Amino acid sequence: MDISRKLGILVFFGVPAVIGGGITYALFGDSYHAVFIYEFLLLLTAGIFVGR
């Protein structure tokens, strides 16, 4: 996999990180713990896709 495709995947996962982090923060009663868990799972998924 070339570098441009890897960067594209990271950008693709960056948008849900920003928007989804805010939604997760609002849904779970202003809790950053839930946001950290969401961000970690998203980072793990992105790492799996980039690592292929």
Side-chain angles (χ1 to χ4, degrees):
M1 186 180 312
D2 58 347
I3 190 72
S4 61
R5 184 167 172 100
K6 288 182 181 182
L7 289 174
I9 290 172
L10 291 178
V11 168
F12 180 76
F13 278 99
V15 173
V18 173
I19 296 173
I23 292 171
T24 305
Y25 180 77
L27 286 177
F28 286 96
D30 301 334
S31 171
Y32 279 113
H33 297 305
V35 176
F36 289 138
I37 293 170
Y38 171 76
E39 297 286 337
F40 175 74
L41 292 174
L42 197 60
L43 182 65
L44 186 67
T45 306
I48 290 170
F49 279 111
V50 171
R52 283 188 186 185

